[in-house]
Amino acid sequence: MDSSSGFLFVACQVGAEPALKAELATQWPDFRFAYSRPGFVTFKLPPDHKLPADFDLHAVFARAYGFSLGKVSGHDPQSCALAAVRLAQDCGMNFDRLHVWQRDPRAPGDHGFEPGETPAAAEARAALLKLCAAKVIADEVATDDSAHSAAAPPVHDSPTEELPGEEPTSHPSSVAAASLHRTFGPALLEATLPGQLVLDCIVVDPNQWWIGYHRASAVPSRWPGGLPGITRPERMISRAYLKLEEALRWSRMPVQSGDQCAEIGSAPGGASQALLSHGLQVLGIDPADMDPRILGHDNFTHFKMRGADVRRKEFRDVRWLMADINVAPSYTLDTVEAILSHAQVNVRGMLLTLKFLEWKLADELPAYIARVKSWGFADVRVRQLAHNRQEVCLAALRERNLRKGSRRPS
């Protein structure tokens, strides 16, 4: 199915907008920037784009994206939901799933914020579901033209336009509710499967939603807003737990219980906590102290030193290599390459965090990727995870069986 929409929406991390725009300017020079809020950007597409609903944006910094149907607004979630239903009805598509999510209010880790479910998104979802479940009484089915005209029409703003005020819808429409029920059927909130058509509802500002759609394909496209919905353990050691758990889910790295992995930059132990929860044997490498709960785990061994100082023979049984150290990407890659170049080391896959101490280092991503591929890793993917900060996750596997999930540069 080709899209008739003339606009694309893209969600990203707050602060990553310039990197995203630069990436799209290179990958898609015909896309024209249209509208921006922190963490949410739209682009005007060329009239003859003919992009399918499941097209790959090939963008490291795009957390979620799809075709935009426009924005709706109202004085409360109920009126926004009604306008959204009418917009979905007017596009004439039959959707399989509904994704409702809110753009990030701030960067991950800022004042304790972590991307995920929010009260505003939950309230928006509840309002849409209430309409979906509404019963249509025969004497209420007649279309109320005056009420229909109150629904907020699709609007795509230029970068300089202010968001216009719009009259909110005053009461629900049973016709629109019936349409939503017929459009979605009974399973709109079940797990999204590849190939299903998803209606996206993004809470961009209070009482202002953007509506769009995409066809699920890559792993993150099956998560509302590209968010994996990770449940924190009762006593999470650090937010590195969230990063590592998301990296495993996104990359589909085929780790198995009992496998040995090495983690460079392991202190205080958040990522090790995630690895141990998967049954892995973990070599933690860091000169700093580990959390006592990790040190006391039977499957954890601590090398209290830098990665460069660990004897290479310690890595001979390591199948998975993780690295998250607070240095420039080139230094991380130097450390990893020195380990991999040893004859006794046979690492099958890696998850490497590449930190951008300044955003311009993102321009070097193609060179970093080429360097990793030169070490014999056939499949290399890069994504700015929802729980990353000013950094990206690079997943590399020697065999070409990483699941589809993000950019695979040529």
Side-chain angles (χ1 to χ4, degrees):
M1 180 190 70
D2 289 337
S3 166
S4 59
S5 171
F7 288 82
L8 183 80
F9 74 81
V10 187
C12 66
Q13 182 188 114
V14 171
E17 300 86 3
L20 172 69
K21 292 175 187 177
E23 195 173 24
L24 265 61
T26 299
Q27 296 281 345
W28 306 93
D30 293 336
F31 292 7
R32 295 291 177 259
F33 169 59
Y35 166 82
S36 180
R37 294 284 287 138
F40 185 81
V41 187
T42 70
F43 295 86
K44 184 172 176 56
L45 302 173
D48 57 347
H49 65 81
K50 296 182 180 178
L51 294 170
D54 60 351
F55 87 102
D56 191 340
L57 192 61
H58 297 289
V60 170
F61 297 98
R63 183 186 301 170
Y65 60 90
F67 295 104
S68 175
L69 295 173
K71 73 174 181 181
V72 299
S73 60
H75 58 83
D76 57 23
Q78 289 69 39
S79 55
C80 288
L82 177 57
V85 167
R86 288 171 174 156
L87 202 56
Q89 176 186 10
D90 290 345
C91 78
M93 300 181 190
N94 291 317
F95 299 100
D96 303 300
R97 293 292 185 267
L98 173 66
H99 286 182
V100 183
W101 40 282
Q102 184 177 10
R103 73 173 176 89
D104 291 355
R106 57 181 68 91
D110 183 8
H111 293 83
F113 169 74
E114 293 295 344
E117 176 75 322
T118 66
E123 195 173 21
R125 185 184 303 106
L128 287 166
L129 292 177
K130 185 176 180 180
L131 280 180
C132 177
K135 301 287 186 181
V136 181
I137 301 174
D139 60 0
E140 295 178 345
V141 171
T143 303
D144 184 341
D145 291 333
S146 63
H148 185 78
S149 66
V155 176
H156 294 280
D157 299 272
S158 70
T160 58
E161 287 178 333
E162 294 292 327
L163 299 177
E166 298 169 61
E167 280 296 314
T169 304
S170 59
H171 60 276
S173 161
S174 57
V175 173
S179 174
L180 183 62
H181 183 75
R182 288 194 303 270
T183 297
F184 288 112
L188 61 164
L189 291 184
E190 291 181 3
T192 305
L193 303 175
Q196 292 185 319
L197 191 63
V198 178
L199 180 68
D200 290 287
C201 172
I202 307 102
V203 180
V204 173
D205 281 310
N207 296 327
Q208 184 180 94
W209 305 350
W210 284 72
I211 310 302
Y213 66 93
H214 71 276
R215 190 173 293 282
S217 55
V219 171
S221 72
R222 302 173 217 163
W223 304 332
L227 301 172
I230 298 169
T231 301
R232 298 188 188 194
E234 186 174 345
R235 298 175 64 195
M236 188 174 76
I237 291 172
S238 73
R239 61 184 309 276
Y241 176 96
L242 301 172
K243 293 199 305 184
L244 198 284
E245 185 63 33
E246 183 181 359
L248 289 173
R249 296 187 189 193
W250 155 65
S251 67
R252 293 299 198 260
M253 195 70 70
V255 300
Q256 295 182 358
S257 180
D259 287 352
Q260 187 172 103
C261 70
E263 185 199 352
I264 304 172
S266 57
S272 294
Q273 185 181 24
L275 293 168
L276 291 168
S277 73
H278 288 273
L280 296 171
Q281 304 280 336
V282 181
L283 306 181
I285 302 167
D286 201 307
D289 292 335
M290 298 294 299
D291 186 282
R293 289 168 289 173
I294 300 301
L295 279 177
H297 199 289
D298 291 341
N299 290 340
F300 182 83
T301 303
H302 187 202
F303 291 90
K304 197 171 184 179
M305 59 187 72
R306 298 180 308 130
D309 297 330
V310 180
R311 293 177 300 177
R312 297 300 174 253
K313 70 176 184 178
E314 302 292 353
F315 293 94
R316 60 192 164 191
D317 294 325
V318 168
R319 293 294 170 262
W320 311 104
L321 181 61
M322 321 299 180
D324 187 352
I325 47 181
N326 194 28
V327 294
S330 58
Y331 183 88
T332 296
L333 297 181
D334 287 347
T335 300
V336 170
E337 184 172 22
I339 295 169
L340 296 178
S341 61
H342 196 276
Q344 294 183 351
V345 176
N346 184 26
V347 170
R348 182 183 175 193
M350 304 187 296
L351 291 172
L352 309 179
T353 299
L354 303 182
K355 295 182 182 292
F356 302 137
L357 307 181
E358 47 187 349
W359 276 111
K360 69 179 182 180
L361 288 174
D363 296 339
E364 302 301 318
L365 268 174
Y368 302 147
I369 292 165
R371 185 175 176 184
V372 173
K373 294 179 85 169
S374 74
W375 302 337
F377 289 87
D379 206 325
V380 179
R381 298 177 187 275
V382 184
R383 176 174 172 84
Q384 186 175 41
L385 304 176
H387 296 288
N388 278 146
R389 299 191 72 176
Q390 196 165 308
E391 60 198 13
V392 296
C393 178
L394 182 149
L397 198 67
R398 291 199 183 277
E399 304 89 350
R400 283 191 176 275
N401 66 353
L402 274 180
R403 307 288 182 84
K404 186 178 179 184
S406 187
R407 180 184 176 190
R408 179 192 284 137
S410 58

